[in-house]
Amino acid sequence: MAKKPKPAAPQRSFKVADQIQRDLAELIARELKDPRVGMVTLQSVEVTPDYAHAKVYFSLLVGDPDATQEALNQGAGFLRNALFKRLHIHTVPTLHFIYDRTQERAADMNALIAKAVASRGPEQD
């Protein structure tokens, strides 16, 4: 009987990405002292199959997204080093922070829908 191949990397890479997201959220809140980094929420982390790079998508409650992205990317080396001490994996990925505009787009779409509904008028129902 032939051995069935195991579904390898996908499940593990999701677990690693999830752990990176949790650890980074804590590190950014407690350890990163850059004043440009305000109230950051990490939306998701995508890790390449070889664990060399990780895209970290974030959103902001208040503040300048560009300045925050710049500050996070400047602090990426510090954060990667701190992750290395926490994670028990051979390769800790290089971090790339990207501002996630999904919430902005959703708010814009909701405003457009509300405007369209309001302009329809009651006689067209």
Side-chain angles (χ1 to χ4, degrees):
M1 217 176 191
K3 246 186 171 181
K4 208 174 174 187
K6 284 201 281 184
Q11 191 64 27
R12 181 167 189 262
S13 89
F14 288 136
K15 286 181 181 178
V16 169
D18 187 49
Q19 187 63 47
I20 288 172
Q21 182 175 346
R22 280 183 277 155
D23 287 347
L24 274 178
E26 189 176 316
L27 287 168
I28 289 169
R30 295 186 181 171
E31 305 288 330
L32 200 60
K33 302 296 183 203
D34 194 314
R36 296 173 293 175
V37 178
M39 298 188 68
V40 172
T41 302
L42 300 184
Q43 300 295 339
S44 67
V45 175
E46 294 175 2
V47 181
T48 58
D50 61 355
Y51 299 108
H53 299 275
K55 290 182 182 177
V56 182
Y57 294 93
F58 72 94
S59 64
L60 283 176
L61 200 53
V62 291
D64 179 17
D66 295 327
T68 302
Q69 183 171 336
E70 183 181 332
L72 287 170
N73 282 313
Q74 284 177 354
F78 167 79
L79 292 169
R80 182 176 187 243
N81 189 35
L83 276 178
F84 185 76
K85 294 174 185 173
R86 290 173 169 232
L87 296 174
H88 301 290
I89 59 176
H90 187 264
T91 304
V92 175
T94 302
L95 304 171
H96 307 279
F97 290 91
I98 301 164
Y99 180 63
D100 184 2
R101 299 190 182 280
T102 304
Q103 291 177 336
E104 281 179 16
R105 289 190 194 115
D108 291 346
M109 290 301 286
N110 283 338
L112 285 172
I113 291 168
K115 186 177 175 184
V117 168
S119 69
R120 243 176 85 183
E123 71 281 345
Q124 294 178 356
D125 275 341

